[in-house]
Amino acid sequence: MWPEPPIQMIVPFPAGGGVDVIARPFAEMFGALLQQPIVVMPRDGAAGTIGMGVVAAAKPDGYTLAFTPNGPVTVQPHVIPTLAYKMDSLQPLCQIFAVQYVLAVRGQPVQVARRIATAQRRNPASCRTASAASPPRRTWRSANSRTFPISPPLEAPEYSHKIRA
């Protein structure tokens, strides 16, 4: 009967890092829900690909899970073609958390924000947005119906890329 032995949850980033500190309380709560211990195992290195390789090579019995941001699954297989795994080697189960990024500066943030806003007003094409591993929202929206057959299609809320000073 599943689950019998403890479940291994591979975290492909260092112990004590941002992913690990979210993974451990999740494992505790998820283990309580399953009434089964979940052992968190950091297997860091190579931008998350070492741990994800361990998960992809594991026996497909449900006893080895990955707790990872999407980069090692969605970006690294395209960046490193010689990886031991491909995107289709793994089956995503659910989204656990969302990561928010901030713009930070040392010094006078108001002056820096004004410079960015001035540059953006003078030449809107000079200020672009980027994302870490996830597609920008406009790309997500246009690709959503092709990539994820969900009905009705998911709509990401619009947000302004403009900085107001």
Side-chain angles (χ1 to χ4, degrees):
M1 184 163 137
W2 191 92
E4 222 170 76
I7 297 167
Q8 292 184 52
M9 190 167 74
I10 306 294
V11 176
F13 292 95
V19 178
D20 186 64
V21 300
I22 296 169
R24 290 182 186 277
F26 174 80
E28 188 176 320
M29 289 184 280
F30 192 43
L33 180 70
L34 295 174
Q35 297 179 352
Q36 185 68 22
I38 297 178
V39 181
V40 176
M41 307 200 46
R43 293 294 301 268
D44 59 292
T49 61
I50 303 264
M52 294 310 296
V54 169
V55 175
K59 187 176 176 183
D61 58 7
Y63 287 100
T64 305
L65 305 174
F67 190 99
T68 184
N70 66 348
V73 179
T74 61
V75 175
Q76 297 303 350
H78 297 287
V79 176
I80 308 169
T82 57
L83 279 179
Y85 66 93
K86 303 290 181 212
M87 284 177 59
D88 61 359
S89 302
L90 303 157
Q91 178 62 49
L93 298 176
C94 63
Q95 179 178 344
I96 305 297
F97 65 97
V99 177
Q100 302 298 319
Y101 290 88
V102 298
L103 179 64
V105 65
R106 182 172 182 250
Q108 301 292 324
V110 172
Q111 291 175 358
V112 172
R114 283 189 181 136
R115 282 188 220 136
I116 293 170
T118 299
Q120 196 269 338
R121 285 186 193 107
R122 285 185 185 148
N123 184 2
S126 70
C127 294
R128 299 182 185 267
T129 60
S131 63
S134 300
R137 293 187 187 247
R138 287 186 196 151
T139 304
W140 164 260
R141 178 171 292 158
S142 64
N144 186 35
S145 60
R146 291 190 313 267
T147 309
F148 301 98
I150 297 172
S151 183
L154 297 174
E155 285 293 320
E158 278 297 328
Y159 61 94
S160 174
H161 299 293
K162 297 180 181 178
I163 297 173
R164 301 176 203 276

